[in-house]
Amino acid sequence: MNKKYLAFAAATTAAAVALTGCVETKSDVEKESTTSPTGDKPVIEVLGMASQEQDVNIVRDQLTKNGFEVKLNIQPDFGSFSAQRDAGNYDLALSSWTTVTGNPDYAVRGLFKTGGDYSNTADEQIDTLIDEASTLIGDEAKEKYAELEQALVFDKAYIAPLYISKKFQGIYSKEVNPDTVRLPKSRAQAWETISFNDTAKNTTEPLILHQAISSLTSLDPVKGNDGSINTLNTNMYVRLVNLSDTDEVVADGSLSYNYAIAEDNQSYYFVLRDDINFAKVENNQAVDTGDLVSAEDVVFSLERAKDEKAVPDHRTYSIHENIETVEIVTDITALESVQTANGDTVLDVLSQQLPAAIAEVVASEADVDNAAGKYQVVKITTPTPFPQVLNYLAHQSGGIVSEAAVTAVNTFDVESYDPNVHVAYGDQATVTEGATYANHLAASGPYVLVQKNDYEATFVKNPAYQAGTENEPKIDKVNVRFIQDNDSALSALRNGEIHVLQAVPETKLDVVEGDANLTLKTADSNAVSYLLMNPKGRDVSTSVDLRKAILYSINQDEFISYYQGNKKPAVSTVSPLVDTGLKLEADSAKVKEFIQAYQATK
């Protein structure tokens, strides 16, 4: 993936390129356009970016063919796109979302629930359905998510789905061992497993990766939830749990040896390992601070993760709003007396495959000694049964930060914070070459960011991250090269200028497959592209008939044809995770009907 976490993407130019496949050219569409009965076509402004002109061309042609007049508002980059979106200068915004936590609640809560981190929707019915679905599993969950999709898409048409993407990863296998490069369905790319074919190069040569966005939202994991920092923060901060490549919640490669769920599905326990220290940067090198990534840091990190007012411009609090308490367990009998659903005690589950049996649970990191049976255990509770909390803990915003490092930097009052005056932990300027450079990061993960410029970001291995285990990072140095254009990135891959390209364009798969120096990997993804209707100040904001006319103008088969079968039909952002049985079918008769109903009210 180039994971698209909230990447609102689209594109075109004034001289739009005619598309191939079954998609008609602009002139063809104009000939076939359906004029409304009054002779006045509804005018729709489509907002997008210049990076994906194919999608906006298809949307434009489909709307034009169905009787709309289309205006294009095309921005050169994500920053200017976001500014236009925030200003409300659109009827439709081409948007996309990847559920990087692997659970359906994340696919909707932040996007469509009132007050969500990225939500423009305020609908009590939608809110209720999201909350009800989040507590269910199995067939009951499927039925509730079907109700949600019916309301969100078909009844109220807040979005119009376009497609589900697959993942296509290109590897410069002439140098890098493709067997060591993972391609997870949801989580960000894991760097620590990657190795050169010649392992001697692991300590002498940098691994060169790729990212399109060079402006980083924040290196504080709770202050960003987008494609600029998701992979970077995932590799810089360890979490209590991880997602496997197929979206199972696992302790592998995390801060926990094991985790246990009490039978009430409201209490979750994690036994922590003692072989990870925070790393800081001195003289462009990673230095072991000697500060253990401890239960105290876990409590601090998750308390601020769920508190909207913990930091200025908190971007991820809704992800963790179902955490009620985070505490350190200090009485081992509290683990012995609590049962799990399968009848074992929490202590039994936590005790599996540890360096030594749990003899004592300790409150202070100073008393931790796993080899002697002294462990820290963290307990998290939720106000209602909510097993999806584990998926959220695997999200990059669940990354564990250093209480000492963060509080040393964030000395300002949050309510009076001024970005022109104050420096916040993780500010991009503090790691950017030049006068503002003052790297204060403390990394709990396998790598730490040393510095960046407009060309690339440089990371080095955390020397105190699970040293001597299979999770110790293989390569000492990672450079993330910023290349906005995907075709240019593919050329860089073919030339060996980058070693891994996470998002090979669907139309260029044959290029990778035909290059003897490259290896192509393919996987399903949770990435969904859709049209977001403007909720304020436009006719689409108030007319459900107009929104439904747009919805039924969308023919997903044309997108799938253009992408040579490498896209899948979608209904909502839930589609890759839950098969609700619903399907969107383009219907020009319904479009005419809804346009007429809309015009009758004007």
Side-chain angles (χ1 to χ4, degrees):
M1 153 179 173
N2 176 344
K3 282 187 171 179
K4 300 178 184 172
Y5 327 89
L6 189 63
F8 298 97
T12 195
T13 56
V17 179
L19 299 178
T20 59
C22 69
V23 181
E24 297 167 298
T25 66
K26 184 176 181 182
S27 59
D28 291 334
V29 171
E30 287 173 341
K31 292 175 184 177
E32 297 178 18
S33 295
T34 302
T35 304
S36 64
T38 63
D40 297 324
K41 297 180 178 181
V43 179
I44 297 296
E45 182 177 6
V46 180
L47 172 64
M49 291 191 298
S51 58
Q52 291 184 345
E53 67 180 6
Q54 59 272 22
D55 285 356
V56 87
N57 285 342
I58 297 173
V59 168
R60 177 209 63 207
D61 288 0
Q62 290 180 354
L63 291 175
T64 303
K65 180 178 179 180
N66 280 281
F68 293 91
E69 180 180 336
V70 180
K71 295 171 57 179
L72 301 179
N73 179 358
I74 307 306
Q75 297 301 313
D77 53 40
F78 181 71
S80 54
F81 173 93
S82 297
Q84 288 291 302
R85 181 177 179 271
D86 293 345
N89 296 330
Y90 69 97
D91 292 301
L92 306 176
L94 267 78
S95 308
S96 60
W97 178 262
T98 294
T99 302
V100 295
T101 60
N103 64 311
D105 187 67
Y106 181 71
V108 290
R109 183 172 296 274
L111 291 176
F112 307 120
K113 192 169 188 287
T114 303
D117 299 329
Y118 296 100
S119 176
N120 288 329
T121 306
D123 187 305
E124 290 184 4
Q125 181 191 11
I126 300 297
D127 293 349
T128 298
L129 289 169
I130 289 173
D131 285 337
E132 289 176 349
S134 70
T135 66
L136 303 174
I137 59 175
D139 290 341
E140 288 183 325
K142 181 185 292 189
E143 291 175 7
K144 190 60 65 174
Y145 280 112
E147 287 185 50
L148 174 59
E149 282 192 335
Q150 180 65 41
L152 180 72
V153 180
F154 298 101
D155 294 346
K156 302 185 179 183
Y158 289 132
I159 64 171
L162 302 181
Y163 53 77
I164 302 170
S165 294
K166 296 182 182 179
K167 284 187 172 185
F168 300 99
Q169 180 191 69
I171 303 167
Y172 191 66
S173 48
K174 182 179 179 180
E175 290 287 342
V176 171
N177 181 351
D179 293 336
T180 66
V181 184
R182 296 169 57 183
L183 184 57
K185 183 180 181 184
S186 295
R187 68 162 288 177
Q189 184 182 55
W191 297 348
E192 66 266 29
T193 64
I194 303 175
S195 173
F196 288 108
N197 293 320
D198 178 0
T199 57
K201 293 183 176 181
N202 288 349
T203 58
T204 61
E205 301 293 329
L207 174 70
I208 305 175
L209 304 177
H210 161 256
Q211 179 169 299
I213 305 173
S214 61
S215 179
L216 310 182
T217 303
S218 177
L219 286 314
D220 183 337
V222 301
K223 291 189 65 178
N225 188 22
D226 59 71
S228 75
I229 49 76
N230 185 272
T231 296
L232 309 188
N233 283 345
T234 295
N235 284 283
M236 204 157 62
Y237 299 101
V238 73
R239 294 157 301 285
L240 283 177
V241 289
N242 282 321
L243 290 183
S244 72
D245 291 353
T246 53
D247 284 355
E248 292 85 8
V249 177
V250 296
D252 300 343
S254 74
L255 182 59
S256 306
Y257 285 114
N258 297 305
Y259 68 90
I261 307 172
E263 60 183 343
D264 64 0
N265 275 330
Q266 291 181 244
S267 302
Y268 306 83
Y269 299 82
F270 307 84
V271 58
L272 307 189
R273 54 194 311 141
D274 67 351
D275 58 357
I276 305 176
N277 290 348
F278 288 101
K280 64 179 180 179
V281 175
E282 291 182 354
N283 300 319
N284 291 329
Q285 299 294 321
V287 177
D288 179 0
T289 64
D291 181 14
L292 180 70
V293 182
S294 67
E296 292 93 327
D297 296 302
V298 172
V299 173
F300 172 78
S301 299
L302 297 183
E303 288 284 359
R304 71 196 294 267
K306 72 186 185 74
D307 180 4
E308 179 182 0
K309 298 181 180 180
V311 293
D313 197 23
H314 200 316
R315 300 287 182 90
T316 59
Y317 61 89
S318 73
I319 295 175
H320 303 286
E321 66 182 0
N322 283 291
I323 293 177
E324 186 169 55
T325 62
V326 187
E327 57 187 306
I328 302 172
V329 177
T330 58
D331 182 1
I332 196 169
T333 62
L335 307 179
E336 296 171 325
S337 61
V338 179
Q339 299 285 313
T340 64
N342 63 7
D344 294 328
T345 69
V346 167
L347 182 62
D348 290 336
V349 176
L350 295 182
S351 297
Q352 298 172 12
Q353 298 180 329
L354 298 179
I358 299 176
E360 184 180 353
V361 291
V362 299
S364 172
E365 66 178 274
D367 297 323
V368 173
D369 185 351
N370 290 176
K374 298 180 179 181
Y375 296 87
Q376 287 191 310
V377 173
V378 172
K379 177 185 178 183
I380 294 175
T381 62
T382 57
T384 59
F386 191 70
Q388 294 193 58
V389 72
L390 293 170
N391 295 75
Y392 287 134
L393 293 173
H395 186 258
Q396 63 91 20
S397 61
I400 308 306
V401 297
S402 164
E403 180 176 8
V406 171
T407 54
V409 175
N410 289 3
T411 57
F412 49 80
D413 179 73
V414 173
E415 293 185 359
S416 60
Y417 170 77
D418 182 347
N420 298 311
V421 175
H422 300 116
V423 174
Y425 179 84
D427 281 358
Q428 175 181 224
T430 63
V431 295
T432 302
E433 291 178 355
T436 61
Y437 181 86
N439 194 320
H440 56 227
L441 298 176
S444 60
Y447 289 92
V448 60
L449 176 58
V450 174
Q451 63 181 14
K452 73 170 288 287
N453 52 36
D454 291 338
Y455 178 65
E456 67 182 3
T458 301
F459 291 77
V460 293
K461 172 181 175 178
N462 176 354
Y465 185 83
Q466 301 192 44
T469 74
E470 63 180 7
N471 298 314
E472 179 182 357
K474 304 295 187 293
I475 293 177
D476 284 2
K477 184 177 180 181
V478 176
N479 293 346
V480 179
R481 192 74 47 84
F482 301 128
I483 306 173
Q484 183 172 351
D485 179 68
N486 232 359
D487 286 338
S488 298
L490 177 57
S491 295
L493 178 71
R494 299 188 70 189
N495 294 329
E497 296 169 12
I498 63 174
H499 293 127
V500 181
L501 177 60
Q502 281 295 94
V504 177
E506 290 90 339
T507 55
K508 300 295 176 65
L509 301 182
D510 57 336
V511 174
V512 177
E513 291 177 315
D515 192 323
N517 293 326
L518 305 181
T519 294
L520 179 71
K521 286 191 175 184
T522 304
D524 288 333
S525 86
N526 294 331
V528 177
S529 293
Y530 59 96
L531 298 173
L532 178 68
M533 314 280 182
N534 192 335
K536 296 180 181 179
R538 298 287 181 113
D539 282 0
V540 294
S541 312
T542 56
S543 174
V544 69
D545 289 316
L546 182 58
R547 297 200 299 269
K548 287 182 178 180
I550 294 167
L551 174 69
Y552 287 105
S553 297
I554 299 304
N555 186 337
Q556 296 190 26
D557 289 341
E558 292 188 352
F559 288 93
I560 293 169
S561 176
Y562 175 82
Y563 287 108
Q564 302 172 19
N566 291 311
K567 302 291 189 184
K568 297 180 180 180
V571 175
S572 76
T573 46
V574 171
S575 295
L577 299 146
V578 180
D579 181 6
T580 64
L582 299 177
K583 185 177 181 180
L584 173 64
E585 297 279 4
D587 191 326
S588 59
K590 285 185 178 180
V591 174
K592 291 180 181 179
E593 174 187 338
F594 287 124
I595 287 179
Q596 290 175 12
Y598 156 69
Q599 290 176 329
T601 64
K602 292 185 67 65

